[in-house]
Amino acid sequence: MSGDHHHDHDDELALRAAALEAVLVEKGLLTTDQVDAIVEHYERDLGPQNGARVVARAWVDPAYRQRLRSDGAAAIRELGYGGFEGGTMVVVENTPDVHNVVVCTLCSCYPWPVLGLPPSWYKSPAYRARAVAEPRAVLREFGVELPAETEIRVWDSTSEVRYLVVPQRPEGADGLSEDELAALVTRDSMIGTGLALEPGA
């Protein structure tokens, strides 16, 4: 689960994707414009920026935060995000006492409408097994060192239920606008393998 391993795997996937794209274009099955449009759709319309907006709204609006906890999918739809992969969303919130981590032990179920495409490590057998068996060690490898007294809860996504983590609002984020707060929310912090960024980081 080391960072170098992640980068090597990502580089390999990028090379494979480029080779596949070249073959499809060469055979006339796709055009480069179509590929660009698909990529833009996933980057602009389906991506972690959507989840970041959900988290930022929860940080500034206590009523929205309550709706998010009671019916995640409905509250997320209020902001215009939804779809098959977000049909049943459970939102869990990190606190000083509890840290939540999401995994899919069977395959790679993931809330695409709010997080976009799953990272390669999320789909890896190592993460899927170790996040359940030794979550504290896995978090340490992602650079998240939690106090020994912090409880770690692991949530197993399925095709029926997907999870979104609301990370703790970082220190020094008071007075920031909703857009500025959203910029502090990372994809990994909404999976639980990271923390929200500190202002100015």
Side-chain angles (χ1 to χ4, degrees):
M1 300 284 308
S2 71
D4 290 342
H5 174 74
H6 294 154
H7 290 307
D8 291 345
H9 191 57
D10 288 345
D11 290 345
E12 180 184 336
L13 287 175
L15 289 172
R16 287 184 182 183
L20 178 61
E21 177 184 342
V23 169
L24 291 172
V25 170
E26 182 182 322
K27 293 188 177 292
L29 298 173
L30 277 178
T31 67
T32 53
D33 287 345
Q34 289 171 320
V35 172
D36 289 345
I38 292 167
V39 170
E40 184 181 353
H41 170 68
Y42 278 97
E43 288 179 344
R44 185 193 64 219
D45 301 325
L46 291 176
Q49 71 274 6
N50 297 349
R53 291 188 189 102
V54 170
V55 170
R57 178 68 54 87
W59 282 347
V60 300
D61 183 341
Y64 180 76
R65 184 179 187 170
Q66 185 56 45
R67 293 195 302 278
L68 194 61
R69 286 191 298 215
S70 61
D71 187 341
I76 289 168
R77 280 195 301 272
E78 288 179 31
L79 299 187
Y81 313 127
F84 173 74
E85 297 87 358
T88 302
M89 290 288 304
V90 173
V91 176
V92 292
E93 190 173 3
N94 285 348
T95 70
D97 300 318
V98 177
H99 185 91
N100 298 282
V101 180
V102 180
V103 66
C104 177
T105 56
L106 291 178
C107 51
S108 57
C109 297
Y110 193 75
W112 289 33
V114 286
L115 292 187
L117 298 172
S120 57
W121 55 260
Y122 183 85
K123 299 178 279 187
S124 73
Y127 177 76
R128 287 160 41 199
R130 293 185 59 226
V132 174
E134 47 182 349
R136 195 172 293 273
V138 168
L139 289 175
R140 195 173 296 119
E141 291 172 18
F142 277 96
V144 178
E145 191 75 48
L146 298 172
E149 62 272 16
T150 300
E151 177 188 352
I152 299 174
R153 293 181 186 162
V154 180
W155 301 88
D156 192 0
S157 281
T158 68
S159 58
E160 289 82 27
V161 179
R162 317 283 169 113
Y163 295 89
L164 177 72
V165 175
V166 174
Q168 290 186 75
R169 185 171 175 164
E171 296 284 332
D174 295 336
L176 296 183
S177 71
E178 203 169 312
D179 286 342
E180 290 170 327
L181 288 170
L184 304 178
V185 183
T186 66
R187 177 200 64 200
D188 289 7
S189 72
M190 294 180 284
I191 297 173
T193 54
L195 304 175
L197 301 175
E198 297 290 331

Short mmCIF file of all heavy atoms in Angstrom, two decimals, residues 114-169:
data_model
loop_
_atom_site.label_atom_id
_atom_site.label_comp_id
_atom_site.label_asym_id
_atom_site.label_seq_id
_atom_site.Cartn_x
_atom_site.Cartn_y
_atom_site.Cartn_z
N VAL A 114 -20.91 11.48 -6.35
CA VAL A 114 -20.25 12.44 -5.46
C VAL A 114 -18.74 12.29 -5.41
O VAL A 114 -18.05 13.22 -4.98
CB VAL A 114 -20.82 12.39 -4.02
CG1 VAL A 114 -22.20 13.02 -3.96
CG2 VAL A 114 -20.84 10.97 -3.48
N LEU A 115 -18.21 11.17 -5.85
CA LEU A 115 -16.76 10.98 -5.79
C LEU A 115 -16.11 10.70 -7.15
O LEU A 115 -14.89 10.62 -7.24
CB LEU A 115 -16.40 9.84 -4.82
CG LEU A 115 -16.66 10.11 -3.34
CD1 LEU A 115 -16.11 8.98 -2.48
CD2 LEU A 115 -16.08 11.43 -2.89
N GLY A 116 -16.91 10.53 -8.19
CA GLY A 116 -16.34 10.26 -9.50
C GLY A 116 -15.84 8.83 -9.61
O GLY A 116 -16.38 7.92 -8.98
N LEU A 117 -14.80 8.62 -10.40
CA LEU A 117 -14.25 7.29 -10.62
C LEU A 117 -13.45 6.84 -9.40
O LEU A 117 -12.72 7.64 -8.82
CB LEU A 117 -13.35 7.29 -11.85
CG LEU A 117 -14.03 7.63 -13.18
CD1 LEU A 117 -12.99 7.79 -14.28
CD2 LEU A 117 -15.04 6.56 -13.55
N PRO A 118 -13.58 5.57 -9.02
CA PRO A 118 -12.80 5.10 -7.87
C PRO A 118 -11.31 5.04 -8.20
O PRO A 118 -10.94 4.68 -9.31
CB PRO A 118 -13.36 3.69 -7.60
CG PRO A 118 -13.99 3.28 -8.89
CD PRO A 118 -14.44 4.52 -9.57
N PRO A 119 -10.46 5.39 -7.24
CA PRO A 119 -9.02 5.27 -7.47
C PRO A 119 -8.62 3.80 -7.58
O PRO A 119 -9.32 2.92 -7.06
CB PRO A 119 -8.41 5.92 -6.23
CG PRO A 119 -9.47 5.83 -5.18
CD PRO A 119 -10.79 5.89 -5.89
N SER A 120 -7.52 3.54 -8.24
CA SER A 120 -7.10 2.14 -8.46
C SER A 120 -6.87 1.41 -7.14
O SER A 120 -7.19 0.23 -7.01
CB SER A 120 -5.85 2.09 -9.33
OG SER A 120 -4.80 2.83 -8.75
N TRP A 121 -6.34 2.11 -6.13
CA TRP A 121 -6.05 1.43 -4.87
C TRP A 121 -7.33 0.99 -4.17
O TRP A 121 -7.34 0.00 -3.44
CB TRP A 121 -5.21 2.30 -3.93
CG TRP A 121 -5.76 3.67 -3.62
CD1 TRP A 121 -5.38 4.84 -4.18
CD2 TRP A 121 -6.78 4.00 -2.67
NE1 TRP A 121 -6.11 5.89 -3.65
CE2 TRP A 121 -6.96 5.40 -2.71
CE3 TRP A 121 -7.55 3.25 -1.77
CZ2 TRP A 121 -7.89 6.07 -1.90
CZ3 TRP A 121 -8.47 3.90 -0.96
CH2 TRP A 121 -8.64 5.30 -1.04
N TYR A 122 -8.44 1.71 -4.39
CA TYR A 122 -9.72 1.34 -3.76
C TYR A 122 -10.18 -0.03 -4.26
O TYR A 122 -10.84 -0.78 -3.54
CB TYR A 122 -10.76 2.41 -4.05
CG TYR A 122 -12.11 2.19 -3.39
CD1 TYR A 122 -12.34 2.63 -2.10
CD2 TYR A 122 -13.15 1.55 -4.07
CE1 TYR A 122 -13.57 2.44 -1.48
CE2 TYR A 122 -14.38 1.36 -3.47
CZ TYR A 122 -14.59 1.80 -2.18
OH TYR A 122 -15.82 1.61 -1.58
N LYS A 123 -9.86 -0.34 -5.51
CA LYS A 123 -10.28 -1.60 -6.12
C LYS A 123 -9.30 -2.74 -5.86
O LYS A 123 -9.59 -3.88 -6.19
CB LYS A 123 -10.45 -1.41 -7.63
CG LYS A 123 -11.50 -0.36 -7.99
CD LYS A 123 -11.60 -0.16 -9.49
CE LYS A 123 -10.51 0.75 -9.99
NZ LYS A 123 -10.67 1.09 -11.42
N SER A 124 -8.15 -2.43 -5.31
CA SER A 124 -7.11 -3.45 -5.15
C SER A 124 -7.47 -4.46 -4.06
O SER A 124 -8.05 -4.10 -3.03
CB SER A 124 -5.77 -2.80 -4.81
OG SER A 124 -5.77 -2.33 -3.47
N PRO A 125 -7.15 -5.74 -4.27
CA PRO A 125 -7.40 -6.76 -3.24
C PRO A 125 -6.74 -6.42 -1.91
O PRO A 125 -7.29 -6.72 -0.85
CB PRO A 125 -6.82 -8.04 -3.86
CG PRO A 125 -6.90 -7.80 -5.34
CD PRO A 125 -6.63 -6.33 -5.51
N ALA A 126 -5.56 -5.81 -1.96
CA ALA A 126 -4.85 -5.49 -0.71
C ALA A 126 -5.66 -4.51 0.14
O ALA A 126 -5.85 -4.73 1.34
CB ALA A 126 -3.47 -4.90 -1.03
N TYR A 127 -6.14 -3.44 -0.48
CA TYR A 127 -6.94 -2.47 0.28
C TYR A 127 -8.23 -3.12 0.77
O TYR A 127 -8.64 -2.94 1.92
CB TYR A 127 -7.25 -1.23 -0.57
CG TYR A 127 -8.15 -0.24 0.16
CD1 TYR A 127 -7.63 0.58 1.16
CD2 TYR A 127 -9.51 -0.16 -0.13
CE1 TYR A 127 -8.45 1.46 1.85
CE2 TYR A 127 -10.33 0.73 0.55
CZ TYR A 127 -9.79 1.53 1.54
OH TYR A 127 -10.61 2.40 2.22
N ARG A 128 -8.91 -3.85 -0.10
CA ARG A 128 -10.21 -4.43 0.25
C ARG A 128 -10.10 -5.39 1.43
O ARG A 128 -11.01 -5.48 2.26
CB ARG A 128 -10.79 -5.14 -0.97
CG ARG A 128 -11.29 -4.14 -2.01
CD ARG A 128 -11.44 -4.72 -3.40
NE ARG A 128 -12.00 -6.05 -3.41
CZ ARG A 128 -11.89 -6.87 -4.45
NH1 ARG A 128 -11.22 -6.51 -5.53
NH2 ARG A 128 -12.45 -8.06 -4.40
N ALA A 129 -9.00 -6.10 1.55
CA ALA A 129 -8.82 -7.03 2.67
C ALA A 129 -8.26 -6.33 3.90
O ALA A 129 -8.76 -6.50 5.01
CB ALA A 129 -7.89 -8.16 2.25
N ARG A 130 -7.25 -5.50 3.70
CA ARG A 130 -6.55 -4.93 4.84
C ARG A 130 -7.32 -3.81 5.53
O ARG A 130 -7.15 -3.58 6.72
CB ARG A 130 -5.17 -4.44 4.42
CG ARG A 130 -4.24 -5.58 4.01
CD ARG A 130 -2.84 -5.09 3.70
NE ARG A 130 -2.28 -4.43 4.88
CZ ARG A 130 -1.65 -3.26 4.84
NH1 ARG A 130 -1.51 -2.60 3.71
NH2 ARG A 130 -1.17 -2.73 5.95
N ALA A 131 -8.17 -3.09 4.78
CA ALA A 131 -8.93 -2.01 5.41
C ALA A 131 -9.84 -2.55 6.50
O ALA A 131 -10.13 -1.86 7.48
CB ALA A 131 -9.76 -1.28 4.36
N VAL A 132 -10.28 -3.79 6.34
CA VAL A 132 -11.13 -4.43 7.35
C VAL A 132 -10.28 -5.05 8.46
O VAL A 132 -10.57 -4.90 9.65
CB VAL A 132 -12.02 -5.51 6.70
CG1 VAL A 132 -12.80 -6.27 7.76
CG2 VAL A 132 -12.98 -4.87 5.70
N ALA A 133 -9.21 -5.74 8.08
CA ALA A 133 -8.41 -6.50 9.04
C ALA A 133 -7.50 -5.61 9.88
O ALA A 133 -7.30 -5.87 11.08
CB ALA A 133 -7.57 -7.55 8.32
N GLU A 134 -6.93 -4.60 9.29
CA GLU A 134 -5.98 -3.72 10.00
C GLU A 134 -6.12 -2.28 9.54
O GLU A 134 -5.21 -1.71 8.95
CB GLU A 134 -4.55 -4.23 9.81
CG GLU A 134 -4.19 -4.57 8.37
CD GLU A 134 -2.78 -5.10 8.22
OE1 GLU A 134 -1.99 -5.01 9.19
OE2 GLU A 134 -2.45 -5.57 7.13
N PRO A 135 -7.29 -1.67 9.82
CA PRO A 135 -7.54 -0.32 9.31
C PRO A 135 -6.55 0.73 9.81
O PRO A 135 -6.18 1.64 9.07
CB PRO A 135 -8.96 -0.02 9.77
CG PRO A 135 -9.20 -0.93 10.93
CD PRO A 135 -8.42 -2.16 10.62
N ARG A 136 -6.11 0.60 11.04
CA ARG A 136 -5.19 1.61 11.58
C ARG A 136 -3.86 1.59 10.83
O ARG A 136 -3.29 2.65 10.52
CB ARG A 136 -4.97 1.37 13.08
CG ARG A 136 -4.35 2.54 13.81
CD ARG A 136 -4.34 2.30 15.31
NE ARG A 136 -5.69 2.29 15.87
CZ ARG A 136 -6.35 3.36 16.27
NH1 ARG A 136 -5.78 4.56 16.17
NH2 ARG A 136 -7.56 3.26 16.78
N ALA A 137 -3.39 0.40 10.49
CA ALA A 137 -2.14 0.28 9.73
C ALA A 137 -2.31 0.84 8.32
O ALA A 137 -1.42 1.52 7.79
CB ALA A 137 -1.69 -1.18 9.67
N VAL A 138 -3.45 0.56 7.70
CA VAL A 138 -3.72 1.08 6.36
C VAL A 138 -3.77 2.61 6.39
O VAL A 138 -3.17 3.28 5.53
CB VAL A 138 -5.03 0.49 5.80
CG1 VAL A 138 -5.47 1.22 4.53
CG2 VAL A 138 -4.88 -1.00 5.51
N LEU A 139 -4.46 3.17 7.37
CA LEU A 139 -4.53 4.63 7.47
C LEU A 139 -3.15 5.23 7.66
O LEU A 139 -2.82 6.27 7.09
CB LEU A 139 -5.45 5.03 8.63
CG LEU A 139 -6.94 4.78 8.41
CD1 LEU A 139 -7.72 5.10 9.68
CD2 LEU A 139 -7.46 5.61 7.25
N ARG A 140 -2.31 4.57 8.44
CA ARG A 140 -0.95 5.06 8.66
C ARG A 140 -0.19 5.13 7.34
O ARG A 140 0.57 6.07 7.08
CB ARG A 140 -0.24 4.14 9.66
CG ARG A 140 1.04 4.72 10.25
CD ARG A 140 1.60 3.83 11.35
NE ARG A 140 0.68 3.75 12.49
CZ ARG A 140 0.13 2.62 12.94
NH1 ARG A 140 0.39 1.46 12.34
NH2 ARG A 140 -0.68 2.64 13.97
N GLU A 141 -0.41 4.14 6.47
CA GLU A 141 0.25 4.13 5.16
C GLU A 141 -0.25 5.26 4.26
O GLU A 141 0.46 5.70 3.37
CB GLU A 141 0.06 2.77 4.49
CG GLU A 141 0.82 1.66 5.18
CD GLU A 141 0.49 0.28 4.65
OE1 GLU A 141 -0.05 0.19 3.53
OE2 GLU A 141 0.78 -0.70 5.35
N PHE A 142 -1.45 5.72 4.50
CA PHE A 142 -1.98 6.88 3.78
C PHE A 142 -1.58 8.19 4.44
O PHE A 142 -1.97 9.27 3.99
CB PHE A 142 -3.51 6.81 3.70
CG PHE A 142 -4.03 5.94 2.59
CD1 PHE A 142 -4.38 4.62 2.83
CD2 PHE A 142 -4.17 6.44 1.30
CE1 PHE A 142 -4.87 3.81 1.81
CE2 PHE A 142 -4.67 5.64 0.27
CZ PHE A 142 -5.01 4.32 0.53
N GLY A 143 -0.83 8.12 5.55
CA GLY A 143 -0.37 9.32 6.23
C GLY A 143 -1.32 9.83 7.30
O GLY A 143 -1.18 10.96 7.77
N VAL A 144 -2.31 9.00 7.67
CA VAL A 144 -3.28 9.38 8.69
C VAL A 144 -2.93 8.66 9.99
O VAL A 144 -3.11 7.46 10.11
CB VAL A 144 -4.72 9.05 8.27
CG1 VAL A 144 -5.71 9.41 9.38
CG2 VAL A 144 -5.07 9.76 6.97
N GLU A 145 -2.42 9.40 10.94
CA GLU A 145 -2.06 8.86 12.25
C GLU A 145 -3.08 9.34 13.26
O GLU A 145 -3.19 10.53 13.52
CB GLU A 145 -0.66 9.34 12.64
CG GLU A 145 -0.08 8.64 13.84
CD GLU A 145 0.40 7.22 13.54
OE1 GLU A 145 1.10 7.02 12.54
OE2 GLU A 145 0.06 6.32 14.33
N LEU A 146 -3.86 8.40 13.80
CA LEU A 146 -4.93 8.75 14.73
C LEU A 146 -4.53 8.40 16.15
O LEU A 146 -3.77 7.46 16.39
CB LEU A 146 -6.20 7.99 14.37
CG LEU A 146 -6.79 8.27 12.98
CD1 LEU A 146 -7.92 7.31 12.67
CD2 LEU A 146 -7.28 9.71 12.90
N PRO A 147 -5.05 9.16 17.13
CA PRO A 147 -4.80 8.80 18.53
C PRO A 147 -5.29 7.38 18.82
O PRO A 147 -6.27 6.91 18.22
CB PRO A 147 -5.61 9.83 19.31
CG PRO A 147 -5.81 10.98 18.36
CD PRO A 147 -5.89 10.36 17.00
N ALA A 148 -4.62 6.71 19.72
CA ALA A 148 -4.96 5.32 20.04
C ALA A 148 -6.40 5.19 20.52
O ALA A 148 -7.05 4.16 20.30
CB ALA A 148 -4.00 4.78 21.10
N GLU A 149 -6.92 6.24 21.16
CA GLU A 149 -8.28 6.16 21.70
C GLU A 149 -9.36 6.43 20.65
O GLU A 149 -10.56 6.24 20.92
CB GLU A 149 -8.45 7.13 22.88
CG GLU A 149 -8.27 8.60 22.54
CD GLU A 149 -6.82 9.07 22.65
OE1 GLU A 149 -5.90 8.21 22.68
OE2 GLU A 149 -6.62 10.29 22.69
N THR A 150 -8.99 6.85 19.45
CA THR A 150 -9.98 7.10 18.41
C THR A 150 -10.49 5.77 17.85
O THR A 150 -9.70 4.93 17.41
CB THR A 150 -9.38 7.94 17.25
OG1 THR A 150 -8.94 9.20 17.77
CG2 THR A 150 -10.42 8.17 16.16
N GLU A 151 -11.78 5.60 17.88
CA GLU A 151 -12.39 4.38 17.33
C GLU A 151 -12.42 4.48 15.81
O GLU A 151 -12.75 5.52 15.25
CB GLU A 151 -13.82 4.22 17.86
CG GLU A 151 -14.55 3.02 17.29
CD GLU A 151 -16.03 2.98 17.66
OE1 GLU A 151 -16.47 3.81 18.47
OE2 GLU A 151 -16.74 2.13 17.10
N ILE A 152 -12.06 3.39 15.14
CA ILE A 152 -12.12 3.35 13.68
C ILE A 152 -13.26 2.43 13.29
O ILE A 152 -13.31 1.26 13.68
CB ILE A 152 -10.80 2.84 13.07
CG1 ILE A 152 -9.65 3.77 13.46
CG2 ILE A 152 -10.93 2.75 11.54
CD1 ILE A 152 -8.29 3.29 13.02
N ARG A 153 -14.20 2.98 12.50
CA ARG A 153 -15.33 2.20 12.01
C ARG A 153 -15.16 2.00 10.50
O ARG A 153 -14.96 2.97 9.77
CB ARG A 153 -16.65 2.90 12.29
CG ARG A 153 -16.97 2.98 13.77
CD ARG A 153 -18.30 3.67 14.02
NE ARG A 153 -18.52 3.86 15.44
CZ ARG A 153 -19.40 4.70 15.95
NH1 ARG A 153 -20.16 5.44 15.14
NH2 ARG A 153 -19.55 4.83 17.26
N VAL A 154 -15.25 0.76 10.07
CA VAL A 154 -15.10 0.44 8.65
C VAL A 154 -16.47 0.09 8.09
O VAL A 154 -17.18 -0.76 8.63
CB VAL A 154 -14.12 -0.75 8.46
CG1 VAL A 154 -13.98 -1.08 6.98
CG2 VAL A 154 -12.76 -0.42 9.08
N TRP A 155 -16.82 0.77 6.99
CA TRP A 155 -18.13 0.59 6.35
C TRP A 155 -17.92 -0.10 5.01
O TRP A 155 -17.12 0.34 4.20
CB TRP A 155 -18.81 1.94 6.16
CG TRP A 155 -19.01 2.67 7.44
CD1 TRP A 155 -18.14 3.51 8.05
CD2 TRP A 155 -20.16 2.60 8.30
NE1 TRP A 155 -18.66 3.98 9.24
CE2 TRP A 155 -19.91 3.43 9.41
CE3 TRP A 155 -21.37 1.90 8.23
CZ2 TRP A 155 -20.82 3.61 10.44
CZ3 TRP A 155 -22.28 2.08 9.25
CH2 TRP A 155 -22.01 2.92 10.35
N ASP A 156 -18.67 -1.18 4.79
CA ASP A 156 -18.52 -1.99 3.59
C ASP A 156 -19.59 -1.63 2.56
O ASP A 156 -20.77 -1.94 2.74
CB ASP A 156 -18.62 -3.48 3.97
CG ASP A 156 -18.19 -4.40 2.86
OD1 ASP A 156 -17.81 -3.92 1.77
OD2 ASP A 156 -18.24 -5.64 3.07
N SER A 157 -19.19 -0.94 1.50
CA SER A 157 -20.13 -0.57 0.45
C SER A 157 -20.61 -1.80 -0.30
O SER A 157 -19.89 -2.79 -0.43
CB SER A 157 -19.45 0.38 -0.55
OG SER A 157 -19.40 1.68 -0.07
N THR A 158 -21.83 -1.72 -0.80
CA THR A 158 -22.39 -2.78 -1.61
C THR A 158 -23.07 -2.15 -2.82
O THR A 158 -23.15 -0.92 -2.94
CB THR A 158 -23.44 -3.60 -0.83
OG1 THR A 158 -24.59 -2.75 -0.59
CG2 THR A 158 -22.90 -4.10 0.50
N SER A 159 -23.60 -2.98 -3.69
CA SER A 159 -24.32 -2.44 -4.85
C SER A 159 -25.60 -1.73 -4.42
O SER A 159 -26.12 -0.89 -5.15
CB SER A 159 -24.65 -3.56 -5.84
OG SER A 159 -25.42 -4.57 -5.21
N GLU A 160 -26.10 -2.04 -3.22
CA GLU A 160 -27.33 -1.40 -2.73
C GLU A 160 -27.07 -0.15 -1.90
O GLU A 160 -27.85 0.78 -1.91
CB GLU A 160 -28.16 -2.38 -1.89
CG GLU A 160 -28.83 -3.50 -2.67
CD GLU A 160 -27.89 -4.65 -2.97
OE1 GLU A 160 -26.93 -4.85 -2.18
OE2 GLU A 160 -28.08 -5.32 -4.00
N VAL A 161 -25.97 -0.14 -1.14
CA VAL A 161 -25.70 0.96 -0.22
C VAL A 161 -24.27 1.45 -0.41
O VAL A 161 -23.33 0.67 -0.35
CB VAL A 161 -25.90 0.53 1.26
CG1 VAL A 161 -25.60 1.69 2.20
CG2 VAL A 161 -27.30 0.00 1.48
N ARG A 162 -24.14 2.76 -0.65
CA ARG A 162 -22.82 3.39 -0.77
C ARG A 162 -22.66 4.38 0.38
O ARG A 162 -23.65 4.88 0.92
CB ARG A 162 -22.69 4.14 -2.10
CG ARG A 162 -23.23 3.41 -3.32
CD ARG A 162 -22.31 2.31 -3.81
NE ARG A 162 -22.96 1.47 -4.79
CZ ARG A 162 -22.62 1.41 -6.07
NH1 ARG A 162 -21.65 2.17 -6.53
NH2 ARG A 162 -23.25 0.59 -6.89
N TYR A 163 -21.42 4.66 0.74
CA TYR A 163 -21.13 5.52 1.89
C TYR A 163 -20.32 6.75 1.49
O TYR A 163 -19.51 6.72 0.57
CB TYR A 163 -20.35 4.74 2.95
CG TYR A 163 -21.14 3.61 3.55
CD1 TYR A 163 -21.12 2.34 2.98
CD2 TYR A 163 -21.93 3.80 4.68
CE1 TYR A 163 -21.86 1.30 3.51
CE2 TYR A 163 -22.68 2.77 5.23
CZ TYR A 163 -22.64 1.52 4.63
OH TYR A 163 -23.37 0.50 5.16
N LEU A 164 -20.57 7.82 2.22
CA LEU A 164 -19.78 9.05 2.09
C LEU A 164 -19.38 9.48 3.49
O LEU A 164 -20.22 9.56 4.39
CB LEU A 164 -20.61 10.15 1.42
CG LEU A 164 -19.91 11.51 1.29
CD1 LEU A 164 -18.81 11.45 0.23
CD2 LEU A 164 -20.92 12.60 0.95
N VAL A 165 -18.10 9.77 3.67
CA VAL A 165 -17.59 10.25 4.95
C VAL A 165 -17.56 11.78 4.94
O VAL A 165 -17.05 12.39 4.00
CB VAL A 165 -16.17 9.71 5.22
CG1 VAL A 165 -15.59 10.31 6.51
CG2 VAL A 165 -16.18 8.18 5.30
N VAL A 166 -18.13 12.38 5.98
CA VAL A 166 -17.96 13.83 6.20
C VAL A 166 -16.76 13.98 7.13
O VAL A 166 -16.84 13.63 8.32
CB VAL A 166 -19.21 14.47 6.82
CG1 VAL A 166 -18.95 15.94 7.17
CG2 VAL A 166 -20.40 14.36 5.88
N PRO A 167 -15.63 14.46 6.60
CA PRO A 167 -14.45 14.61 7.47
C PRO A 167 -14.66 15.73 8.48
O PRO A 167 -15.56 16.55 8.34
CB PRO A 167 -13.33 14.96 6.48
CG PRO A 167 -14.03 15.57 5.32
CD PRO A 167 -15.38 14.91 5.23
N GLN A 168 -13.81 15.74 9.49
CA GLN A 168 -13.88 16.84 10.46
C GLN A 168 -13.45 18.14 9.78
O GLN A 168 -12.53 18.16 8.98
CB GLN A 168 -12.94 16.57 11.63
CG GLN A 168 -13.37 15.45 12.54
CD GLN A 168 -12.46 15.36 13.75
OE1 GLN A 168 -12.53 16.18 14.66
NE2 GLN A 168 -11.59 14.37 13.76
N ARG A 169 -14.15 19.20 10.14
CA ARG A 169 -13.77 20.52 9.63
C ARG A 169 -12.43 20.90 10.26
O ARG A 169 -12.27 20.81 11.48
CB ARG A 169 -14.85 21.53 10.01
CG ARG A 169 -14.65 22.92 9.44
CD ARG A 169 -15.88 23.76 9.71
NE ARG A 169 -15.69 25.14 9.28
CZ ARG A 169 -16.68 25.99 9.13
NH1 ARG A 169 -17.94 25.62 9.37
NH2 ARG A 169 -16.46 27.22 8.75
#
